[in-house]
Amino acid sequence: MVTTLPSPPKVGMVSLGCPKALVDSERILTKLRSDGYALSPDYDQADVVLVNTCGFLDSAKEESLAAIGEAIAENGRVVVTGCMGKEADLIRERFPEVLAVTGPHQYEQVVGAVHEAAPMPPNAFLNLVPEGGLKLTPRHYSYLKISEGCNHRCSFCIIPSIRGDLASRRPDAVLREAEKLVAAGTRELLVISQDTSAYGVDLKHGSWPWKGGEVRAHMTDLALELGKLGAWVRLHYVYPYPHVDKVIPLMAERLVLPYLDIPFQHASPKVLKAMNRPANEAKVLERLKGWREICPDITIRSSFVVGFPGETEEDFQYLMDWLEEAQLDRVGAFRFEPVEGAAANALPGAVPEEVKEERYARLMEKTAAISAAKLQAKIGRTIDVIIDLADGEGGATGRSKADAPEIDGEVHLRDAHGVGQGDIVRVLVEDADEHDLYGVPLA
């Protein structure tokens, strides 16, 4: 007699927000998969839908609420998690039919809510989960979250109230996860947190056993060990603390990618003070020069806020002059947007929306010109490119060491026959525009 096992419940996932939230989604799905749940690619087949929300800006909250509404309309059985879960009353007021609401990185609670909403049938077959866990990114790159929360109290940000103070993972746990990811095919590790430079502060930079020795809970030690795994290692959300200087030699030695993502936010001392951020823009320029002397190929990316309360034309021009001198490689910008609960909302000197737009346009025009000049200088050079997409007909798109996925530029290839996703190839750069490079693989 053959016994037919019942089909396991299916879970759908809508993941919004930053890479840190994406990692949360991966961990939730990995746990559910290990519990025997199947994953659904659409609303129709799902027994329950998870919506991992973002609650950083009002626009992000509206996007989250819209996603919840769509999931309810298309499926009806919805569990909400993520940063906006802190506002459960607002979510339930708008969508009383939501089954459960949990906060960010509350893995046990959200998994428990799914178990309650779509219980596993008796004797359900449990499929094995891949060693590296389930991923929402392509196989060849992975986000590696090293800590949660943040100790800063920037006046425009509510992350500490959502995700709490800094809580670092043990370095041996981070490295074990990284090893599994590399063994499963990851060729690029993107290190993320709210403040990568502060990693290990809460652990008093203690040491843990690793590979017959010890590894310290410190950004520089972790970067060194990750660099030994053979994958590209890209550092994100790096505050320019003094010890960051010690990572630059690792980049010159090719252990870590020559890339730093530093959230400067502004340059005007007055605006930085209002933001409750350190105002050391002159010293930063000196350090940028020093970093480039040690590692000439280093790429610096950053993001800035325009139209912060009290920002005058003089403050904005200060930022523009600073950018001209800093010559950052990659720049993103945001128009200031009040966030419920942020101290900045009470500051005087609100900047009119049309002024924000005008300043935003000027900043993006300047940084695009800087980027274009820097990319033009790469024409004729040979660079390494990791392939993200290949059409099988000679066309391919990838990224250089200077490009993080989804936020930076791309390298578009011709005559790329025989290359596949995840390959790292040598490429001759033939052309460039404001953001992207164009080239051909070398035989």
Side-chain angles (χ1 to χ4, degrees), residues 253-276:
E253 296 166 14
R254 299 296 184 254
L255 283 171
V256 177
L257 289 186
Y259 179 100
L260 279 181
D261 176 7
I262 302 177
F264 289 122
Q265 307 297 6
H266 214 281
S268 163
K270 189 190 81 177
V271 175
L272 287 169
K273 183 177 181 180
M275 289 179 168
N276 198 27

Side-chain angles (χ1 to χ4, degrees), residues 6-257:
S7 299
K10 292 183 178 180
V11 178
M13 168 69 83
V14 178
S15 186
L16 305 174
C18 64
K20 293 176 282 294
L22 186 70
V23 172
D24 289 344
S25 295
E26 291 176 340
R27 290 179 178 173
I28 291 167
L29 291 179
T30 295
K31 180 64 173 73
L32 289 171
R33 193 74 180 89
S34 70
D35 288 348
Y37 286 82
L39 306 183
S40 172
D42 52 43
Y43 291 120
D44 292 341
Q45 300 179 52
D47 295 287
V48 61
V49 175
L50 280 170
V51 180
N52 191 358
T53 58
C54 179
F56 183 54
L57 298 172
D58 287 346
S59 56
K61 292 179 183 179
E62 286 303 317
E63 181 184 11
S64 295
L65 290 171
I68 296 169
E70 178 181 307
I72 288 175
E74 296 292 334
N75 181 277
R77 299 181 58 75
V78 177
V79 172
V80 177
T81 188
C83 289
M84 202 177 171
K86 290 281 187 176
E87 301 185 49
D89 291 343
L90 171 62
I91 293 170
R92 291 190 179 283
E93 180 181 349
R94 182 82 69 93
F95 305 107
E97 56 269 72
V98 163
L99 299 177
V101 181
T102 71
H105 55 85
Q106 292 183 336
Y107 308 124
E108 293 183 6
Q109 291 91 326
V110 69
V111 168
V114 171
H115 276 278
E116 185 173 342
M120 288 293 298
N123 301 314
F125 180 75
L126 301 182
N127 289 307
L128 293 176
V129 173
E131 182 69 12
L134 297 180
K135 295 170 74 267
L136 298 177
T137 55
R139 181 170 179 261
H140 62 289
Y141 69 82
S142 302
Y143 292 103
L144 182 67
K145 184 156 60 171
I146 63 174
S147 66
E148 286 285 0
C150 183
N151 288 342
H152 295 287
R153 294 297 183 266
C154 301
S155 61
F156 56 83
C157 182
I158 58 171
I159 290 297
S161 66
I162 296 175
R163 291 184 172 262
D165 288 336
L166 178 72
S168 302
R169 298 175 62 197
R170 284 175 38 166
D172 55 334
V174 173
L175 291 168
R176 276 194 295 271
E177 179 183 351
E179 279 191 327
K180 290 179 180 179
L181 289 170
V182 172
T186 291
R187 305 204 68 184
E188 179 181 14
L189 294 165
L190 299 109
V191 178
I192 58 171
S193 65
Q194 297 296 337
D195 180 359
T196 295
S197 303
Y199 170 72
V201 167
D202 55 313
L203 301 177
K204 303 188 187 308
H205 296 310
S207 296
W208 274 262
W210 179 251
K211 301 290 185 183
E214 289 189 336
V215 59
R216 192 169 53 127
H218 194 282
M219 171 187 168
T220 54
D221 298 54
L222 188 64
L224 175 61
E225 293 299 327
L226 289 171
K228 297 176 181 178
L229 299 181
W232 285 11
V233 177
R234 192 180 300 277
L235 302 177
H236 287 276
Y237 314 115
V238 178
Y239 282 72
Y241 301 158
H243 65 259
V244 174
D245 294 348
K246 297 180 181 179
V247 177
I248 310 305
L250 300 181
M251 298 179 176
E253 296 166 14
R254 299 296 184 254
L255 283 171
V256 177
L257 289 186

Side-chain angles (χ1 to χ4, degrees), residues 419-431:
V419 305
Q421 187 181 65
D423 289 345
I424 296 177
V425 297
R426 295 291 287 170
V427 170
L428 174 65
V429 179
E430 299 179 310
D431 201 358

